Amino acid sequence: MSPASTPLQSSAVISEAVETLRNGGLVAFPTETVYGLGADAKNPEAIQKIFATKGRPANHPLIVHIAAPEQFDVPQVDWVSLLAPWARDIPEDALKLINTFWPGPLTLVFKKDKSVLSALTGGQDTVAIRAPAHPIAQALLRKFKGGVVAPSANRFGKVSPTSAADVRNEFEGMLDLMILEGGDCEVGIESTIIDFSSGDEAVLLRPGVITPKEIMAKTGVHVSLPGELHLQDKENPEGVNLPRVSGSLKAHYAPTTPLRLYAPARALDALSEYPDIKSRVAVAVWDSESSLVLEDHPSTDVSEIIVSSDPASFASKLYRTLRDLDQQGWDLVLFPEPPPGEEWDGVRDRLQRACFGSGPSSNSHDSN
Ligand code: TXA
Ligand code: MG
């Protein structure tokens, strides 16, 4: 991210944020993926505040964010020592990923050090860690000198925020919440999560813009998909090992407006399944496709919105688009199904969950 495109916070503001964290307060801050709601990872009351503010169930673990060393270009960063206060049994393969992708949108899960608060890990014996790349996140973490837990800065089950204004909207009543301004998030969906806690085997827990294919190409490390593993046992036929990853609840990232996906070139079919003539429907269309001639559809008030057919650009705008559409009073939003291919997995995952939980009743959905 170029500093020119990022309104950098002054060091006085960063110092105030550090003070707030030290005093047990919450600070929302930008990362390259989404905005996080930060608290001191060593302060149990501050961690409690995070769960209460988000309305997040206590057994959903948080990610610890740490600073990358300033001399990151130096080849010999001793990551094992840097991670020692948090994690143990760090496999060689994990170090390869760290050296290649940190700081960046990749979270790794390890066996936790015994000093890590169990309120932070949702009672599990593992801990998730990432070093975010955003310069403001890095400035904050370096000055704070400790770990900062930071879930996405949204109410539980809602669309993650990708701008400071989104965070403000999420927590409207909380006037004392400090929010660091850092522009729009470049990646736009949450980090890829890979679990190394079972030894040398790397398992994908949450897809993101860093894909197993890219990891293989750059590090030679094979990352298994949960379906390839023992997660698929009899008691748990869907392979959903909940609630290790709250993003793995079916209804997560949910907008209030009903959202559906349509098969390639089937937008009109999807519309005719929704025949209320007074409906106002927004239909997202790939920028690579010519217009769908939706005017031919007589019964509904339909508008097209153009979405990028490049997976990274699509991801960077996805939550922004869903939030904006939610403000515009549509009765239904239709999105094209992402094409097959691993580079679309992160986006497909978020879109499918957003569909499942969408609609005005999503607040009271079981899994929220
Ligand atoms: O990109 C991101 O990761 C953003 C930014 C703010 O860094 N953070 C984020 O946090 O997405 P959150 O809390 O919204 O999602 C963290 C995910 C949850 O689904 C949680 O269950 C999972 O990480 N997680 C945390 N600790 C874990 C652990 N020990 N084992 C498995 N999953 C874990
Ligand atoms: Mg989240």
Side-chain angles (χ1 to χ4, degrees), residues 28-29 31 33-38 50 54 56 62-63 65 149-161 167 170-171 190 206 246 252-253 319 323:
F29 63 94
T31 82
T33 58
V34 300
Y35 275 68
L37 185 65
I50 295 247
K54 276 185 68 88
R56 178 168 169 138
L62 304 171
I63 297 173
H65 295 60
V149 283
S152 51
N154 52 281
R155 292 183 193 269
F156 186 63
K158 293 299 175 188
V159 177
S160 299
V167 180
E170 270 305 294
F171 301 109
E190 300 82 352
R206 180 172 73 183
S246 63
H252 215 70
Y253 319 111
Y319 291 153
R323 274 180 182 270

Short mmCIF file of all heavy atoms in Angstrom, two decimals, residues 28-29 31 33-38 50 54 56 62-63 65 149-161 167 170-171 190 206 246 252-253 319 323:
data_model
loop_
_atom_site.label_atom_id
_atom_site.label_comp_id
_atom_site.label_asym_id
_atom_site.label_seq_id
_atom_site.Cartn_x
_atom_site.Cartn_y
_atom_site.Cartn_z
N ALA A 28 -10.21 0.79 17.27
CA ALA A 28 -10.43 0.20 15.95
C ALA A 28 -9.34 0.73 15.03
O ALA A 28 -9.00 1.92 15.06
CB ALA A 28 -11.81 0.58 15.43
N PHE A 29 -8.78 -0.17 14.22
CA PHE A 29 -7.67 0.25 13.35
C PHE A 29 -7.73 -0.47 12.01
O PHE A 29 -8.29 -1.56 11.91
CB PHE A 29 -6.32 0.03 14.06
CG PHE A 29 -6.01 -1.41 14.37
CD1 PHE A 29 -5.25 -2.18 13.49
CD2 PHE A 29 -6.47 -2.01 15.53
CE1 PHE A 29 -4.95 -3.52 13.77
CE2 PHE A 29 -6.19 -3.34 15.82
CZ PHE A 29 -5.44 -4.09 14.94
N THR A 31 -6.51 -2.61 8.85
CA THR A 31 -5.50 -3.56 8.36
C THR A 31 -5.71 -3.65 6.85
O THR A 31 -6.67 -3.08 6.32
CB THR A 31 -5.62 -4.97 8.99
OG1 THR A 31 -6.62 -5.72 8.30
CG2 THR A 31 -5.93 -4.92 10.48
N THR A 33 -6.72 -6.13 5.30
CA THR A 33 -7.88 -6.98 4.96
C THR A 33 -9.18 -6.24 5.27
O THR A 33 -9.93 -5.87 4.36
CB THR A 33 -7.82 -8.30 5.75
OG1 THR A 33 -7.79 -8.02 7.16
CG2 THR A 33 -6.62 -9.14 5.34
N VAL A 34 -9.45 -6.04 6.56
CA VAL A 34 -10.64 -5.31 7.03
C VAL A 34 -10.21 -4.54 8.28
O VAL A 34 -9.11 -4.76 8.79
CB VAL A 34 -11.80 -6.29 7.37
CG1 VAL A 34 -12.21 -7.10 6.15
CG2 VAL A 34 -11.44 -7.23 8.54
N TYR A 35 -11.07 -3.66 8.79
CA TYR A 35 -10.75 -2.96 10.04
C TYR A 35 -10.92 -3.92 11.22
O TYR A 35 -11.83 -4.76 11.23
CB TYR A 35 -11.65 -1.74 10.24
CG TYR A 35 -11.12 -0.49 9.53
CD1 TYR A 35 -11.09 -0.44 8.14
CD2 TYR A 35 -10.65 0.60 10.25
CE1 TYR A 35 -10.60 0.69 7.49
CE2 TYR A 35 -10.16 1.74 9.61
CZ TYR A 35 -10.13 1.77 8.23
OH TYR A 35 -9.63 2.88 7.59
N GLY A 36 -10.02 -3.80 12.19
CA GLY A 36 -10.08 -4.64 13.37
C GLY A 36 -10.49 -3.83 14.59
O GLY A 36 -10.30 -2.61 14.65
N LEU A 37 -11.06 -4.53 15.58
CA LEU A 37 -11.41 -3.90 16.86
C LEU A 37 -10.38 -4.41 17.87
O LEU A 37 -10.43 -5.57 18.28
CB LEU A 37 -12.83 -4.31 17.26
CG LEU A 37 -13.41 -3.67 18.51
CD1 LEU A 37 -13.57 -2.16 18.33
CD2 LEU A 37 -14.77 -4.30 18.84
N GLY A 38 -9.42 -3.55 18.23
CA GLY A 38 -8.25 -4.01 18.96
C GLY A 38 -8.33 -3.83 20.46
O GLY A 38 -8.94 -2.88 20.97
N ILE A 50 -14.23 -6.66 24.18
CA ILE A 50 -14.34 -7.00 22.75
C ILE A 50 -15.56 -7.90 22.52
O ILE A 50 -16.37 -7.65 21.63
CB ILE A 50 -13.08 -7.74 22.26
CG1 ILE A 50 -11.88 -6.84 22.33
CG2 ILE A 50 -13.30 -8.35 20.89
CD1 ILE A 50 -11.27 -6.46 21.03
N LYS A 54 -18.90 -6.64 20.41
CA LYS A 54 -19.30 -7.31 19.17
C LYS A 54 -20.57 -8.14 19.32
O LYS A 54 -21.21 -8.49 18.33
CB LYS A 54 -18.18 -8.24 18.69
CG LYS A 54 -17.10 -7.57 17.89
CD LYS A 54 -16.10 -8.60 17.37
CE LYS A 54 -16.65 -9.55 16.33
NZ LYS A 54 -16.56 -9.11 14.95
N ARG A 56 -20.25 -11.15 20.50
CA ARG A 56 -19.67 -12.41 20.01
C ARG A 56 -19.68 -13.45 21.12
O ARG A 56 -19.33 -13.15 22.26
CB ARG A 56 -18.24 -12.11 19.57
CG ARG A 56 -17.41 -13.28 19.06
CD ARG A 56 -16.18 -12.69 18.42
NE ARG A 56 -15.16 -13.63 18.09
CZ ARG A 56 -14.47 -13.59 16.95
NH1 ARG A 56 -14.71 -12.66 16.05
NH2 ARG A 56 -13.53 -14.45 16.71
N LEU A 62 -10.05 -15.30 19.24
CA LEU A 62 -9.60 -14.07 18.58
C LEU A 62 -8.21 -14.28 17.97
O LEU A 62 -7.47 -15.17 18.40
CB LEU A 62 -9.52 -12.93 19.60
CG LEU A 62 -10.80 -12.64 20.37
CD1 LEU A 62 -10.51 -11.64 21.49
CD2 LEU A 62 -11.86 -12.08 19.43
N ILE A 63 -7.85 -13.43 17.03
CA ILE A 63 -6.51 -13.47 16.43
C ILE A 63 -5.61 -12.46 17.17
O ILE A 63 -6.01 -11.32 17.39
CB ILE A 63 -6.56 -13.10 14.93
CG1 ILE A 63 -7.39 -14.13 14.16
CG2 ILE A 63 -5.15 -13.00 14.35
CD1 ILE A 63 -7.63 -13.75 12.68
N HIS A 65 -2.59 -10.01 16.95
CA HIS A 65 -1.83 -9.29 15.93
C HIS A 65 -0.50 -8.84 16.52
O HIS A 65 -0.48 -8.28 17.63
CB HIS A 65 -2.63 -8.08 15.43
CG HIS A 65 -3.89 -8.45 14.71
ND1 HIS A 65 -4.90 -9.16 15.30
CD2 HIS A 65 -4.29 -8.22 13.43
CE1 HIS A 65 -5.87 -9.36 14.41
NE2 HIS A 65 -5.53 -8.79 13.27
N VAL A 149 -5.28 -8.24 20.28
CA VAL A 149 -6.35 -9.07 19.70
C VAL A 149 -7.25 -8.15 18.88
O VAL A 149 -7.56 -7.04 19.30
CB VAL A 149 -7.20 -9.80 20.76
CG1 VAL A 149 -6.45 -10.99 21.32
CG2 VAL A 149 -7.65 -8.88 21.87
N ALA A 150 -7.63 -8.62 17.71
CA ALA A 150 -8.47 -7.77 16.86
C ALA A 150 -9.36 -8.60 15.95
O ALA A 150 -8.92 -9.06 14.90
CB ALA A 150 -7.60 -6.82 16.03
N PRO A 151 -10.61 -8.80 16.38
CA PRO A 151 -11.58 -9.36 15.43
C PRO A 151 -11.99 -8.26 14.46
O PRO A 151 -11.70 -7.08 14.70
CB PRO A 151 -12.76 -9.74 16.33
CG PRO A 151 -12.68 -8.78 17.47
CD PRO A 151 -11.21 -8.47 17.67
N SER A 152 -12.63 -8.64 13.39
CA SER A 152 -13.15 -7.62 12.47
C SER A 152 -14.10 -6.71 13.27
O SER A 152 -14.83 -7.17 14.14
CB SER A 152 -13.88 -8.28 11.31
OG SER A 152 -14.83 -9.23 11.77
N ALA A 153 -14.05 -5.40 12.97
CA ALA A 153 -14.75 -4.42 13.80
C ALA A 153 -16.22 -4.27 13.38
O ALA A 153 -16.67 -3.20 12.99
CB ALA A 153 -14.02 -3.07 13.72
N ASN A 154 -16.93 -5.38 13.46
CA ASN A 154 -18.36 -5.38 13.14
C ASN A 154 -19.10 -6.13 14.24
O ASN A 154 -18.49 -6.91 14.97
CB ASN A 154 -18.61 -6.10 11.81
CG ASN A 154 -17.97 -7.49 11.79
OD1 ASN A 154 -16.76 -7.62 11.59
ND2 ASN A 154 -18.77 -8.50 12.05
N ARG A 155 -20.40 -5.90 14.31
CA ARG A 155 -21.19 -6.69 15.25
C ARG A 155 -21.22 -8.12 14.73
O ARG A 155 -21.17 -8.35 13.52
CB ARG A 155 -22.60 -6.11 15.37
CG ARG A 155 -22.54 -4.75 16.07
CD ARG A 155 -23.92 -4.15 16.29
NE ARG A 155 -23.78 -2.76 16.67
CZ ARG A 155 -23.69 -2.33 17.94
NH1 ARG A 155 -23.73 -3.19 18.92
NH2 ARG A 155 -23.56 -1.05 18.19
N PHE A 156 -21.30 -9.08 15.65
CA PHE A 156 -21.18 -10.50 15.30
C PHE A 156 -22.14 -10.89 14.18
O PHE A 156 -23.34 -10.59 14.24
CB PHE A 156 -21.44 -11.35 16.54
CG PHE A 156 -21.21 -12.81 16.31
CD1 PHE A 156 -19.95 -13.27 15.98
CD2 PHE A 156 -22.25 -13.71 16.40
CE1 PHE A 156 -19.73 -14.62 15.76
CE2 PHE A 156 -22.04 -15.07 16.19
CZ PHE A 156 -20.77 -15.51 15.86
N GLY A 157 -21.59 -11.54 13.15
CA GLY A 157 -22.41 -12.04 12.05
C GLY A 157 -22.67 -11.03 10.96
O GLY A 157 -23.29 -11.36 9.95
N LYS A 158 -22.22 -9.81 11.14
CA LYS A 158 -22.48 -8.77 10.14
C LYS A 158 -21.29 -8.61 9.20
O LYS A 158 -20.22 -9.13 9.43
CB LYS A 158 -22.80 -7.45 10.84
CG LYS A 158 -24.13 -7.49 11.59
CD LYS A 158 -25.25 -7.78 10.61
CE LYS A 158 -26.59 -7.97 11.30
NZ LYS A 158 -27.62 -8.42 10.36
N VAL A 159 -21.51 -7.82 8.14
CA VAL A 159 -20.47 -7.62 7.13
C VAL A 159 -19.27 -6.88 7.75
O VAL A 159 -19.44 -5.90 8.47
CB VAL A 159 -21.05 -6.79 5.96
CG1 VAL A 159 -19.98 -6.50 4.92
CG2 VAL A 159 -22.23 -7.52 5.33
N SER A 160 -18.07 -7.37 7.48
CA SER A 160 -16.87 -6.74 8.04
C SER A 160 -16.67 -5.35 7.45
O SER A 160 -16.98 -5.11 6.28
CB SER A 160 -15.63 -7.60 7.75
OG SER A 160 -15.75 -8.86 8.34
N PRO A 161 -16.13 -4.42 8.24
CA PRO A 161 -15.94 -3.04 7.76
C PRO A 161 -14.63 -2.88 6.99
O PRO A 161 -13.60 -3.41 7.38
CB PRO A 161 -15.88 -2.24 9.06
CG PRO A 161 -15.37 -3.19 10.08
CD PRO A 161 -15.76 -4.58 9.66
N VAL A 167 -16.88 1.35 10.36
CA VAL A 167 -16.75 1.02 11.79
C VAL A 167 -17.64 1.94 12.61
O VAL A 167 -18.36 1.50 13.52
CB VAL A 167 -15.28 1.15 12.27
CG1 VAL A 167 -15.17 0.80 13.75
CG2 VAL A 167 -14.36 0.27 11.44
N GLU A 170 -21.14 0.80 12.44
CA GLU A 170 -21.38 -0.45 13.18
C GLU A 170 -21.62 -0.18 14.65
O GLU A 170 -22.45 -0.82 15.28
CB GLU A 170 -20.17 -1.38 13.08
CG GLU A 170 -20.09 -2.35 11.95
CD GLU A 170 -21.27 -3.29 11.79
OE1 GLU A 170 -21.50 -4.13 12.66
OE2 GLU A 170 -21.97 -3.17 10.78
N PHE A 171 -20.83 0.74 15.21
CA PHE A 171 -20.88 0.96 16.66
C PHE A 171 -21.36 2.37 16.96
O PHE A 171 -20.74 3.10 17.76
CB PHE A 171 -19.50 0.69 17.28
CG PHE A 171 -19.02 -0.71 17.03
CD1 PHE A 171 -17.97 -0.96 16.17
CD2 PHE A 171 -19.65 -1.79 17.65
CE1 PHE A 171 -17.54 -2.26 15.92
CE2 PHE A 171 -19.22 -3.09 17.41
CZ PHE A 171 -18.16 -3.32 16.55
N GLU A 190 -11.27 -11.02 4.86
CA GLU A 190 -10.41 -11.37 5.98
C GLU A 190 -9.26 -12.27 5.54
O GLU A 190 -9.34 -12.96 4.52
CB GLU A 190 -11.23 -12.07 7.08
CG GLU A 190 -12.36 -11.24 7.65
CD GLU A 190 -13.62 -11.28 6.79
OE1 GLU A 190 -13.58 -11.82 5.66
OE2 GLU A 190 -14.65 -10.77 7.25
N ARG A 206 -9.76 -20.99 6.75
CA ARG A 206 -10.58 -19.94 6.13
C ARG A 206 -9.87 -19.49 4.85
O ARG A 206 -8.73 -19.07 4.91
CB ARG A 206 -10.74 -18.77 7.10
CG ARG A 206 -11.58 -17.61 6.53
CD ARG A 206 -11.88 -16.54 7.59
NE ARG A 206 -10.73 -15.73 7.92
CZ ARG A 206 -10.72 -14.77 8.85
NH1 ARG A 206 -11.82 -14.51 9.55
NH2 ARG A 206 -9.62 -14.07 9.10
N SER A 246 -15.27 -18.66 13.62
CA SER A 246 -16.65 -18.18 13.59
C SER A 246 -17.09 -17.86 12.17
O SER A 246 -18.25 -17.95 11.83
CB SER A 246 -16.83 -16.96 14.49
OG SER A 246 -16.05 -15.89 14.04
N HIS A 252 -22.75 -15.92 8.13
CA HIS A 252 -21.80 -14.93 8.62
C HIS A 252 -21.68 -13.90 7.53
O HIS A 252 -22.06 -14.17 6.40
CB HIS A 252 -20.46 -15.63 8.89
CG HIS A 252 -19.76 -15.05 10.07
ND1 HIS A 252 -20.23 -15.23 11.35
CD2 HIS A 252 -18.66 -14.28 10.18
CE1 HIS A 252 -19.40 -14.60 12.18
NE2 HIS A 252 -18.44 -14.02 11.49
N TYR A 253 -21.15 -12.76 7.83
CA TYR A 253 -20.97 -11.73 6.82
C TYR A 253 -22.31 -11.38 6.16
O TYR A 253 -22.42 -11.28 4.93
CB TYR A 253 -20.00 -12.18 5.72
CG TYR A 253 -18.79 -12.92 6.22
CD1 TYR A 253 -18.63 -14.27 5.99
CD2 TYR A 253 -17.82 -12.25 6.94
CE1 TYR A 253 -17.52 -14.94 6.46
CE2 TYR A 253 -16.71 -12.91 7.43
CZ TYR A 253 -16.57 -14.25 7.18
OH TYR A 253 -15.48 -14.92 7.64
N TYR A 319 -17.28 -6.22 0.34
CA TYR A 319 -18.02 -5.75 1.52
C TYR A 319 -18.50 -4.32 1.35
O TYR A 319 -19.59 -3.95 1.82
CB TYR A 319 -17.15 -5.87 2.77
CG TYR A 319 -16.88 -7.29 3.21
CD1 TYR A 319 -15.73 -7.61 3.92
CD2 TYR A 319 -17.77 -8.32 2.92
CE1 TYR A 319 -15.47 -8.91 4.34
CE2 TYR A 319 -17.52 -9.62 3.33
CZ TYR A 319 -16.37 -9.91 4.03
OH TYR A 319 -16.12 -11.20 4.45
N ARG A 323 -22.39 -3.40 1.71
CA ARG A 323 -22.83 -2.36 2.65
C ARG A 323 -23.58 -1.25 1.93
O ARG A 323 -24.63 -0.79 2.40
CB ARG A 323 -21.63 -1.74 3.38
CG ARG A 323 -21.23 -2.50 4.59
CD ARG A 323 -20.04 -1.87 5.28
NE ARG A 323 -19.69 -2.71 6.40
CZ ARG A 323 -20.19 -2.57 7.63
NH1 ARG A 323 -21.01 -1.59 7.90
NH2 ARG A 323 -19.86 -3.40 8.59
#
